């Protein structure tokens, strides 16, 4: 023989009775808890209540999010980074303004690759800058002196 017990809807009779007794005797329970903990129970409840409150501003506080009011004109400089990127950057902020290309290696030869679609760049240079630097695409840079002269020629052509 099998007995089937199904859960009836709503709370159990014992639970309802226990909640009623606790709610009727809440003041006595709190007084006893304070007496046993030497007032710690009430202090902890008061601390929890103040922690749950939303903070209230004291006076006027203004926070400006964004840029400063002072705008500085960018000072463009040419930079060849250690990882081979050739960029025009702002000397004041250090932000990159224009990506010109990169130094690549092929058969242990270092050469300059202009940022064009033909060289595999997703974001090519504008036409005016490409026309200005087109003949420098693929220039071999064998020594540090040649690289320095190369950067000087680029500066002259770009008016930096």
């Amino acid at each position: 023989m099998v007995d089937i017990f199904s859960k009836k809807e709503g709370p159990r009779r014992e639970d309802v009775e226990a909640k009623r007794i606790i709610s009727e005797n809440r003041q006595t329970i709190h007084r006893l808890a304070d007496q046993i903990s030497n007032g710690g129970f009430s202090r902890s409840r008061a601390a929890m209540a103040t922690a749950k409150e939303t903070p209230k501003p004291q006076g006027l506080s203004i926070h400006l999010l964004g840029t400063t009011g002072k705008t500085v004109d960018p000072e463009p400089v040419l930079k060849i980074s250690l990882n081979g990127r050739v960029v025009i950057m702002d000397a004041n902020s250090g932000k990159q303004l224009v990506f010109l290309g990169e130094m690549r290696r092929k058969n242990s030869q270092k050469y300059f690759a202009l940022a064009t679609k033909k060289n595999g760049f997703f974001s090519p240079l504008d036409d005016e800058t490409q026309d200005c630097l087109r003949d420098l695409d693929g220039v071999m840079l064998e020594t540090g002196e040649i690289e320095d002269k190369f950067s000087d020629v680029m500066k002259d052509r770009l008016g930096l």
Side-chain angles (χ1 to χ4, degrees):
M1 177 149 126
V2 177
D3 290 331
I4 299 175
F5 295 98
S6 63
K7 188 173 185 177
K8 81 177 202 185
E9 303 255 340
R12 297 183 311 179
R13 190 172 9 130
E14 300 87 21
D15 293 340
V16 172
E17 186 65 24
K19 283 183 183 179
R20 185 187 62 79
I21 290 173
I22 291 172
S23 66
E24 287 175 358
N25 297 312
R26 187 166 308 277
Q27 290 177 345
T28 307
I29 294 169
H30 284 258
R31 186 174 41 82
L32 287 172
D34 268 340
Q35 190 174 2
I36 292 170
S37 66
N38 202 18
F41 180 74
S42 292
R43 284 192 300 272
S44 70
R45 289 181 56 86
M48 287 178 56
T50 57
K52 287 182 182 178
E53 289 179 5
T54 58
K56 296 178 181 117
Q58 297 176 355
L60 188 62
S61 54
I62 300 172
H63 297 281
L64 298 175
L65 302 175
T67 61
T68 60
K70 188 168 87 173
T71 308
V72 179
D73 292 331
E75 184 182 330
V77 294
L78 182 82
K79 180 174 182 187
I80 301 174
S81 63
L82 294 175
N83 64 353
R85 294 173 50 89
V86 181
V87 297
I88 297 175
M89 64 175 261
D90 181 15
N92 297 325
S93 66
K95 291 182 181 180
Q96 175 180 315
L97 301 175
V98 180
F99 176 72
L100 299 172
E102 65 184 7
M103 300 296 181
R104 293 183 176 171
R105 289 198 176 274
K106 184 175 184 181
N107 299 331
S108 72
Q109 293 285 329
K110 187 176 181 182
Y111 69 97
F112 173 70
L114 190 64
T116 60
K117 289 236 186 231
K118 182 181 121 187
N119 287 335
F121 290 95
F122 292 115
S123 180
L125 286 169
D126 59 280
D127 292 333
E128 181 182 332
T129 310
Q130 270 188 22
D131 291 339
C132 183
L133 302 174
R134 189 173 312 276
D135 61 329
L136 297 177
D137 187 23
V139 170
M140 296 291 180
L141 304 166
E142 298 166 349
T143 63
E145 293 174 8
I146 295 175
E147 191 172 321
D148 292 339
K149 289 179 183 177
F150 175 77
S151 66
D152 291 339
V153 169
M154 286 186 81
K155 288 176 190 175
D156 289 339
R157 289 190 183 182
L158 295 170
L160 304 175

